[in-house]
Amino acid sequence: MDLILLAKQTQSGGLMETILMIVPILLMFVVMYFIMIRPQRKKQKEEEKMRNNIQIGDEILTIGGFYGRVVSIKEDALVIESVSDHTKQKIARWAVQQNMTVHEDV
């Protein structure tokens, strides 16, 4: 009788030990999500919103460091005119790093 009782206690204790080992790992993943993944996704959404709200006439900065003014907008490309010598370049929409024109949100 004592042997059966001891075996049952060992089995239930083993289950608790397993749960106690898994809980810190799960907590670590939850903390990593809130510290690293969630802010990164929020930043990506803000950048995508900024790129989708570009209008003709906006002054932008590309990821390559070129400043220009948007002349025309296509589906996934922009034509920009350089500030200094007025040459035109076609760039991908994802290559816009910053929109320097301030728009008032109505």
Side-chain angles (χ1 to χ4, degrees), residues 55-88:
Q55 301 173 0
I56 294 176
D58 287 353
E59 290 186 16
I60 62 167
L61 173 66
T62 68
I63 59 174
F66 294 107
Y67 289 90
R69 185 178 310 255
V70 178
V71 176
S72 81
I73 300 174
K74 303 279 197 265
E75 182 104 3
D76 59 344
L78 306 169
V79 176
I80 63 170
E81 181 179 62
S82 70
V83 177
S84 60
D85 58 357
H86 301 289
T87 59
K88 294 181 181 176

Side-chain angles (χ1 to χ4, degrees), residues 23-61:
V23 168
I25 295 171
L26 291 175
L27 284 174
M28 198 167 57
F29 281 114
V30 169
V31 168
M32 283 180 57
Y33 173 79
F34 282 107
I35 290 176
M36 296 173 63
I37 297 170
R38 189 167 180 232
Q40 182 65 28
R41 284 187 181 170
K42 185 177 179 181
K43 183 179 175 184
Q44 286 175 344
K45 285 181 182 180
E46 289 173 358
E47 288 176 353
E48 184 178 338
K49 182 180 176 185
M50 178 268 303
R51 289 181 181 128
N52 288 334
N53 290 333
I54 293 175
Q55 301 173 0
I56 294 176
D58 287 353
E59 290 186 16
I60 62 167
L61 173 66

Side-chain angles (χ1 to χ4, degrees), residues 1-11:
M1 198 68 146
D2 291 329
L3 227 68
I4 296 172
L5 185 61
L6 182 62
K8 286 183 181 179
Q9 287 177 350
T10 306
Q11 287 176 350

